Amino acid sequence: MVQSNTYQNESSQEEQGLSSIRTVPSFAIGQTAYVVQGENFNVLWDCISYLDPQTIKTIKAMGGIDAIALSHPHYYSTQVEWADTFDAKIYIHEDDKQWVKRPSDRIIFWSGESMEVAEGFILHRVGGHFKGATILEWENGNDGKGVLLTGDIVRIVADRNWVSFMYSYPNFIPLPAATVERMADQLNDIRFDRIYDAFHRTVLNDAGEVVQKSAKRYVDALNGVLFDT
């Protein structure tokens, strides 16, 4: 891919301490990765497949990467190449260990419902899309109001005032009502005001409220409340 000169990665600063990285033209499912900068510690959230010399230069100018945290297996892709390049650890919930097809000593399989990777960076296993599906809480983001990076564990829809949840996106298979209610309860215990998802969509304000009203609408739809036909 690098030799073809067909692709390149674009980096954009989304807010102070947060930059997105996307491959253009879009490759595979076209997800976005994020570099989150903390106090002497940077996290790459999720992974894109393409890594070229310019991207390496750009990220090193940000201070490099100390850890790579993954939401779920669809974004494992070239995670080991990224980790080797930046001398970083990879954090994956142990519930998704079976999906790792390229072992590495850099991979740390964490357990439980949450783990603080470094000060201000907390991983939460919320399940749903995968058993070990994880989100990243960035406590200091958005001027200290809190940011969630969710992959597509929590997916922002076309109307940015709503989010959704799915078991399988390609097959349009929803999650059970009880699972969405459990996820909403977990998310309600986390302080955040903004969400970035895997496809470069953002809920800029009041994201906690957006999640709760979206979960209620989702459950209502599954239970037939929204329909009278």
Side-chain angles (χ1 to χ4, degrees), residues 98-193:
Q98 63 176 311
W99 303 110
V100 174
K101 301 306 178 184
R102 183 179 175 187
S104 170
D105 290 340
R106 296 187 180 277
I107 299 175
I108 296 172
F109 293 105
W110 62 281
S111 60
E113 300 306 304
S114 64
M115 175 184 179
E116 187 173 46
V117 176
E119 185 176 357
F121 296 113
I122 304 170
L123 299 175
H124 299 275
R125 188 201 74 86
V126 296
H129 190 37
F130 272 75
K131 186 177 181 180
T134 297
I135 59 174
L136 173 63
E137 176 188 0
W138 177 29
E139 291 184 318
N140 297 325
N142 189 21
D143 294 324
K145 297 177 184 177
V147 167
L148 285 189
L149 295 106
T150 63
D152 53 7
I153 310 310
V154 178
R155 176 78 182 272
I156 300 167
V157 300
D159 180 347
R160 308 303 167 87
N161 293 310
W162 300 89
V163 300
S164 194
F165 319 83
M166 290 289 277
Y167 171 73
S168 172
Y169 289 95
N171 299 297
F172 301 107
I173 301 174
L175 286 167
T179 299
V180 175
E181 288 174 331
R182 176 188 56 74
M183 292 172 70
D185 285 344
Q186 286 181 261
L187 292 163
N188 200 38
D189 291 334
I190 303 171
R191 183 185 61 85
F192 64 97
D193 191 59

Side-chain angles (χ1 to χ4, degrees), residues 46-67:
D46 279 334
C47 197
I48 56 176
S49 299
Y50 189 62
L51 179 61
D52 63 3
Q54 182 56 51
T55 304
I56 295 169
K57 181 179 178 181
T58 298
I59 292 177
K60 285 187 175 180
M62 298 178 190
I65 294 168
D66 300 288

Side-chain angles (χ1 to χ4, degrees), residues 69-90:
L70 282 302
S71 62
H72 70 290
H74 289 152
Y75 305 143
Y76 291 174
S77 60
T78 55
Q79 60 180 358
V80 174
E81 282 80 5
W82 284 76
D84 287 344
T85 298
F86 295 103
D87 191 23
K89 296 293 186 182
I90 300 170

